[in-house]
Amino acid sequence: MPSLPGSPTTIIFLAFGTRGDVQPLALLAAALATVNHHHIRFISHAQHESILQELWAKSTTAIDFFVPSPSPPHAANVVADNSIDSTLRPRAHLEVCIKTVEQVLKLSSTSSPLFPGQVLLIANLFALEAVHLAEVFDLPLIMAHPFPAPASFPFDFKAQFRRADPLQYKCLRENGRGEGGREGGQDEATVRGDERMVSWKDVEHWLWPAFADSWSSFRCMLLGFDEESEGCDELPLPWLAGRPAIPLLYLYSESIMPCPQFFPEHAHVVGYMWPEEIRESYIPSLALAAFLAGGAAVGKAKGGGAASPAASATTAGLVWKDEDRDMRPLATPTPVASTRFFLPAAGPILFTFGTMISLGALGNLTRAATTVVEAVLSYPSSSSSSSFSSSSSSFLSSSCSTSSTTILKMQPAQRCVIDAAGSPSWAAALREALSAHQQRQEAQQLEHQEGGQDNRLRVFILEETVPHSWLLPQCSVVVHHGGSGTTAAALRAGIAQVTVPAMMDQFQWAERVAWLDLGPSPLSLARIFPHDDGEGEDGLETEKSPSCLLSKAINQASHPPCRLRAAAAGRRLRAEPSGATMCINVIHAHLEEWKGFFRSSINSLKRPSLPVPLPAGCEFLTLGLFEGDDMNESMSNNERIQKDETNENNCDDAKRATVVATAASSALTIVALQGSESEVAFIHQEIFPPPRRQESGGWGYLKHGVHVKEGDVILDIGANIGLFALYLDLYVMEEPEQIFVLAVEPAPSTFAALQYNLAAHGVKVVACVQQAVGAGTTNTISDGQDQDQEAAPSKGMLRFFPHAPGNSSLFLARNSSAGGKNYFQGLNPRLRAHLEKGVEDMLVEMTTISALVCNHSLSRVDLLKVDVEGSEEMALKGIDEKTWPLIRQVVMEVHNFDGREERIDAVLRSKGFGKVVWETPQWTEGDGGVSTRGEMNNRMVFACRT
């Protein structure tokens, strides 16, 4: 096994889950400690400590520290009242993870400064705490797991991720090979980014749960925030786009499950890790050894009594102790010879369901115990020595219709071991089921005046922990839940399997066992161990009863061809090298890559700053959609805003506002002018559809046939802070950079927020233009300078509202009859005073729509959106005859007075727009339909070329 020259001095393992999830990493830790003499810190559930210490006892170099963390609820045998997050990851557990890493870093840096790669994190997929620890502490990370990533991400995860962190999404998409995966044949010129970095394929495959909201409390602890503080609500997602790709080691054999083409480049199937030392050193109890050897262990019940075989420490209610046993010499069974030389001798059937019992997967334990006992004792077994050519199907079809009395005479006795280690309630239920079965048997024998043996002697209730690597090779068939650890041990032991999967990867392994013909098709958990009292009550001896179905599956697995295939698969696996060798090679390569990356690109580990700085006078807002409940549906948007402002103690305070979001997928963080929270919430509702209305004919600017598609060019006149462009890019388009936006906004502070938002969210812009749009290129306002009228830039007077920048208007500055004092008519006085505070008139540069199209060489405008607060007719006058044919769709807010609607309608129709639809927006009406904008009757027009 290779060593790791220059490797880290300390490796911190984080391994959580069941024994099958943790044990492979414990074996890898032992290999690293033995070969490279590393310092190992192993963080896992306290319940695993004794098992892991036994694993490590044979290592040349012992594990330095086992760090126990609070056990999950099924291990602690408690019923949790808290949420799933606080139950599975209680605060004490998270503190253990953080403190262990901090202590290692402190100790490692005591003698000399830390060098890159001196501390390494290795974790399984149930320990995603390691992802956050690696990101915060700048540590290399390797993941290792005994089965493929257990679940795919939710259908809306990509959309939510794009909206929450568009910059990282863009970087992740550019890294790696995009959709290429392992297929090859991709043109290298089309590959963008760096394939050595974490990519979106890694996120899709296994990293996505690390970005869930449930990690917010852990990140608060990591970054030193109080969970109640404001900063904890605004924590960014972990930045992983700038890290070298995280190797993912799958600890199983490719001969059992080949590596598929869709796996990321840095996912490796390395092979199984086997606990050889335990198998060789384990010494079983005398009773277990006797039962497995097929002999009888004779002793006396405590307190005196007749001699009786000892099937376990507790059999049928009798208590036995080692000192009471008088064990007879036992002979090891002779392997079957002749044509079945490779078929192992028939052994008992093993039933083991691991932690599924404590998790409640078997439902009522009394009923489950009855099913298991009756499946073994009441139905015939398929003789392992029967002819290869015999038909098992005809045998099975009639097996369950014979009375149990006749069955016991016709077929050889079937023996089984039932694993009840660590579960006294399961053991008690099994003893009760055995007693009930014996009573029925004795009643039948009395009725038929026949004698018989005690069938309870064919069942061994195993209440001690026995390594699977020792026990399974001595059995013929194992009935289990399909867990990764049990499946692997059965494969290597070379025995047939009957699976009853319950959750996660168990279904995958169960299907794989059946596909390899190493056992029958997986059994339905609900059919074999029903939870509903009305299910599965077809009688103990009917073909549809759970016990009969289970017995049939056991007989199929016991048939010689199936056992021969299982034995052959076991021989192949035992001949394969341990996965530890390949693991160490991958770890070595990653550490060398990490060191080189760390020296050259350390700044890439941190989230890069945006090309546009945060504008002065701006603040972050987290937006969401109002749910269309009864209260909000009966309330106008302006009334909602007034309600929000009435509840504020001080409208002038500059603070980070959060608009209540009831649709998680609509959450959006943007930058806005301080004090403009109410207006931003109002405009957000204008543009973004509530969940209940997304499928009902469109919303906002996209209605009545107006739409955008990939590759469209959008000319956004009156872009404000960019919400419409963000809506198109993040919510309408499936991927970023599918549309091109030319955004125009005249006010300096609003324009700065617009630039920041489009850059922060990765919107593909043609340009951001700080100008107002009018009818011509001559000055409308003189600035007092003696300039050539034609050479001077065209300028106009803009009335600017700092707390309501979306209502700023050239029209107001030119028309005193519609001045600011009447503009917010209908709002409560306090809100109106807030919105009008700081109003000023300022000179802004002017342009025309035709000039914008010409200056930016636009060959077409797929959507012209105009929202210029009363100046829309002047904006249309700035479109010359050459430009009109380039415009495919128009959507515009019109302040209708003095016949403006009729004039604009005539212009649009004369320019070839065959479909022109007008409507009054709902938000313009308050109670009784009274306009809230004074003299301005707001209308929306949607125009499309037919």
Side-chain angles (χ1 to χ4, degrees):
M1 187 177 298
S3 61
L4 300 184
S7 56
T9 58
T10 302
I11 302 178
I12 304 173
F13 279 82
L14 295 92
F16 305 128
T18 65
R19 176 179 176 178
D21 304 320
V22 172
Q23 180 171 292
L25 272 76
L27 294 169
L28 177 59
L32 289 168
T34 301
V35 176
N36 298 97
H37 305 287
H38 295 306
H39 301 292
I40 304 294
R41 301 287 181 100
F42 200 95
I43 308 174
S44 188
H45 304 298
Q47 65 162 358
H48 297 318
E49 182 170 9
S50 60
I51 298 173
L52 298 185
Q53 293 293 0
E54 185 179 357
L55 269 177
W56 296 327
K58 298 294 182 178
S59 298
T60 305
T61 303
I63 306 302
D64 296 317
F65 291 102
F66 175 85
V67 184
S69 71
S71 295
H74 68 269
N77 291 320
V78 297
V79 178
D81 296 325
N82 300 326
S83 68
I84 187 68
D85 296 323
S86 61
T87 300
L88 296 181
R89 289 190 289 267
R91 185 176 182 87
H93 163 86
L94 301 177
E95 288 175 346
V96 164
C97 298
I98 296 174
K99 289 180 179 179
T100 301
V101 174
E102 289 177 339
Q103 289 171 359
V104 168
L105 292 175
K106 183 178 180 180
L107 290 173
S108 300
S109 61
T110 302
S111 57
S112 61
L114 282 172
F115 60 83
Q118 185 175 347
V119 176
L120 169 67
L121 297 179
I122 299 180
N124 65 3
L125 292 181
F126 294 142
L128 292 180
E129 292 88 343
V131 174
H132 300 272
L133 291 165
E135 186 243 356
V136 171
F137 291 109
D138 293 338
L139 297 175
L141 171 65
I142 292 174
M143 306 300 292
H145 207 64
F147 55 87
S152 58
F153 62 79
F155 76 95
D156 60 344
F157 171 79
K158 182 171 74 171
Q160 293 191 43
F161 190 97
R162 283 185 62 203
R163 296 160 195 171
D165 199 342
L167 178 61
Q168 180 164 206
Y169 179 80
K170 181 179 178 181
C171 293
L172 289 168
R173 293 292 296 182
E174 290 178 353
N175 287 341
R177 294 184 175 270
E179 303 299 329
R182 296 172 177 268
E183 289 91 339
Q186 186 180 21
D187 184 1
E188 292 297 329
T190 66
V191 178
R192 297 187 301 168
D194 190 343
E195 65 183 43
R196 299 170 301 173
M197 312 300 288
V198 174
S199 71
W200 183 249
K201 288 188 70 66
D202 297 307
V203 175
E204 284 185 326
H205 184 64
W206 70 273
L207 260 173
W208 64 269
F211 296 98
D213 291 339
S214 57
W215 292 106
S216 58
S217 60
F218 183 55
R219 292 187 64 77
C220 281
M221 295 169 62
L222 266 176
L223 299 173
F225 289 115
D226 183 353
E227 292 186 44
E228 303 298 326
S229 67
E230 181 180 355
C232 199
D233 295 331
E234 299 170 353
L235 290 176
L237 294 177
W239 179 259
L240 302 178
R243 293 179 61 91
I246 302 170
L248 174 55
L249 309 177
Y250 282 134
L251 306 176
Y252 58 84
S253 171
E254 272 207 270
S255 66
I256 300 300
M257 190 180 296
C259 184
Q261 295 291 327
F262 61 82
F263 271 17
E265 291 290 328
H266 299 275
H268 309 275
V269 178
V270 298
Y272 284 111
M273 308 284 292
W274 305 115
E276 294 288 350
E277 294 81 3
I278 288 187
R279 180 184 178 186
E280 296 172 358
S281 62
Y282 178 74
I283 301 176
S285 66
L286 295 176
L288 176 59
F291 186 86
L292 293 175
V298 180
K300 295 183 178 181
K302 186 175 179 65
S308 176
S312 76
T314 53
T315 302
L318 300 179
V319 180
W320 298 82
K321 291 186 177 181
D322 287 338
E323 59 267 23
D324 297 327
R325 298 175 182 167
D326 176 20
M327 305 300 299
R328 297 179 180 178
L330 300 171
T332 302
T334 304
V336 179
S338 69
T339 58
R340 291 186 294 277
F341 177 77
F342 293 106
L343 183 64
I349 300 164
L350 173 64
F351 289 83
T352 177
F353 298 104
T355 54
M356 294 302 100
I357 297 172
S358 56
L359 285 173
L362 271 58
N364 183 287
L365 291 183
T366 300
R367 177 191 290 182
T370 300
T371 297
V372 170
V373 168
E374 296 299 328
V376 175
L377 301 183
S378 293
Y379 298 107
S381 63
S382 175
S383 175
S384 297
S385 60
S386 60
S387 171
F388 278 31
S389 61
S390 64
S391 171
S392 62
S393 58
S394 60
F395 168 74
L396 291 173
S397 63
S398 60
S399 63
C400 292
S401 59
T402 312
S403 70
S404 59
T405 304
T406 306
I407 285 171
L408 293 175
K409 287 185 174 182
M410 292 174 56
Q411 300 296 336
Q414 193 174 57
R415 299 179 304 128
C416 74
V417 176
I418 305 177
D419 185 4
S423 181
S425 56
W426 177 232
L430 289 168
R431 288 194 295 270
E432 182 181 343
L434 282 170
S435 297
H437 172 85
Q438 185 62 24
Q439 290 174 6
R440 287 194 301 272
Q441 183 189 40
E442 291 173 353
Q444 290 176 350
Q445 291 169 351
L446 181 62
E447 179 181 353
H448 294 84
Q449 297 182 351
E450 297 176 351
Q453 63 177 347
D454 188 345
N455 274 345
R456 293 176 295 179
L457 307 181
R458 293 161 50 193
V459 177
F460 190 101
I461 302 175
L462 184 63
E463 297 188 72
E464 59 180 306
T465 300
V466 179
H468 281 169
S469 59
W470 183 91
L471 178 60
L472 286 169
Q474 306 187 60
C475 300
S476 294
V477 176
V478 58
V479 182
H480 63 104
H481 55 293
S484 60
T486 308
T487 303
L491 287 169
R492 188 168 192 259
I495 65 173
Q497 305 180 51
V498 175
T499 55
V500 190
M503 61 180 64
M504 295 179 65
D505 65 302
Q506 296 169 10
F507 296 97
Q508 186 176 26
W509 289 118
E511 291 290 348
R512 197 64 189 168
V513 166
W515 190 89
L516 292 171
D517 253 353
L518 306 180
S521 297
L523 298 175
S524 167
L525 179 75
R527 193 70 186 89
I528 302 301
F529 301 116
H531 287 211
D532 187 354
D533 290 339
E535 296 182 22
E537 295 183 354
D538 300 306
L540 292 177
E541 300 178 7
T542 66
E543 293 187 7
K544 294 183 179 180
S545 68
S547 55
C548 185
L549 294 175
L550 182 56
S551 178
K552 285 182 178 182
I554 293 172
N555 282 333
Q556 288 177 328
S558 301
H559 202 55
C562 184
R563 293 186 58 218
L564 273 173
R565 288 189 294 269
R571 287 193 297 272
R572 288 194 301 270
L573 277 183
R574 292 192 294 272
E576 291 181 1
S578 171
T581 301
M582 187 172 178
C583 285
I584 292 177
N585 290 336
V586 173
I587 293 170
H588 183 199
H590 181 65
L591 288 174
E592 292 301 316
E593 181 182 10
W594 176 266
K595 293 172 185 177
F597 174 84
F598 197 93
R599 287 190 295 266
S600 61
S601 308
I602 181 61
N603 292 330
S604 298
L605 290 175
K606 300 302 181 183
R607 184 179 294 271
S609 58
L610 293 173
V612 180
L614 180 67
C618 290
E619 61 184 349
F620 288 101
L621 301 181
T622 300
L623 300 175
L625 294 183
F626 287 101
E627 179 69 29
D629 54 24
D630 295 339
M631 179 187 72
N632 284 331
E633 285 182 343
S634 63
M635 186 185 301
S636 70
N637 289 331
N638 280 332
E639 288 174 321
R640 291 193 193 105
I641 296 173
Q642 292 181 51
K643 184 175 181 292
D644 291 340
E645 289 295 338
T646 302
N647 292 332
E648 297 291 339
N649 293 327
N650 188 352
C651 293
D652 299 330
D653 290 341
K655 55 188 174 297
R656 296 172 183 263
T658 300
V659 179
V660 177
T662 56
S665 63
S666 68
L668 179 67
T669 299
I670 52 95
V671 160
L673 276 64
Q674 291 179 354
S676 65
E677 299 93 343
S678 295
E679 185 192 62
V680 171
F682 170 73
I683 296 174
H684 188 245
Q685 294 174 77
E686 259 190 294
I687 296 173
F688 290 72
R692 296 181 184 178
R693 302 183 185 177
Q694 288 179 338
E695 305 296 333
S696 57
W699 182 263
Y701 293 110
L702 301 183
K703 298 177 67 175
H704 305 296
V706 175
H707 66 282
V708 295
K709 62 183 184 301
E710 183 178 353
D712 279 359
V713 177
I714 316 299
L715 180 51
D716 189 354
I717 307 299
N720 195 12
I721 61 174
L723 288 181
F724 181 59
L726 294 180
Y727 172 64
L728 295 180
D729 188 73
L730 297 177
Y731 290 78
V732 177
M733 296 292 104
E734 292 186 1
E735 293 293 338
E737 300 188 347
Q738 290 186 333
I739 57 172
F740 303 86
V741 177
L742 176 57
V744 183
E745 175 59 41
S749 55
T750 311
F751 179 77
L754 167 68
Q755 280 188 305
Y756 186 94
N757 286 328
L758 298 189
H761 291 84
V763 178
K764 192 168 187 177
V765 296
V766 175
C768 288
V769 180
Q770 188 180 340
Q771 290 178 321
V773 173
T777 57
T778 58
N779 273 326
T780 59
I781 299 293
S782 172
D783 59 5
Q785 301 285 339
D786 292 332
Q787 302 181 46
D788 184 348
Q789 182 77 9
E790 295 181 357
S794 175
K795 291 191 177 182
M797 186 67 72
L798 177 75
R799 179 154 295 171
F800 176 65
F801 297 93
H803 290 175
N807 288 283
S808 302
S809 175
L810 291 168
F811 176 78
L812 288 178
R814 294 196 307 270
N815 297 271
S816 59
S817 62
K821 61 177 183 171
N822 295 323
Y823 191 62
F824 298 108
Q825 180 180 349
L827 302 182
N828 67 54
R830 188 175 182 180
L831 175 58
R832 185 172 65 186
H834 171 70
L835 297 178
E836 293 178 347
K837 184 177 181 179
V839 62
E840 62 175 313
D841 291 342
M842 60 176 64
L843 283 176
V844 294
E845 289 191 6
M846 300 289 296
T847 188
T848 65
I849 291 176
S850 289
L852 289 168
V853 172
C854 178
N855 293 341
H856 296 281
S857 303
L858 301 183
S859 60
R860 70 182 190 281
V861 176
D862 296 290
L863 176 59
L864 171 63
K865 171 255 182 183
V866 181
D867 188 351
V868 289
E869 302 300 325
S871 299
E872 52 276 351
E873 192 171 22
M874 299 298 292
L876 293 184
K877 290 180 180 179
I879 305 177
D880 59 29
E881 294 301 323
K882 294 181 180 180
T883 305
W884 272 114
L886 304 180
I887 302 173
R888 186 170 61 87
Q889 301 174 108
V890 176
V891 59
M892 181 164 52
E893 182 185 79
V894 176
H895 297 260
N896 183 33
F897 63 97
D898 196 22
R900 178 174 295 189
E901 179 178 331
E902 290 75 12
R903 293 194 299 272
I904 291 178
D905 185 87
V907 169
L908 292 174
R909 295 184 185 277
S910 69
K911 300 304 180 183
F913 291 89
K915 181 180 180 181
V916 180
V917 179
W918 291 84
E919 72 173 23
T920 300
Q922 181 183 3
W923 51 262
T924 62
E925 297 184 358
D927 291 337
V930 179
S931 173
T932 60
R933 288 272 184 108
E935 300 176 15
M936 296 190 179
N937 181 17
N938 294 70
R939 296 276 283 167
M940 292 294 297
V941 60
F942 305 85
C944 305
R945 296 189 183 276
T946 56

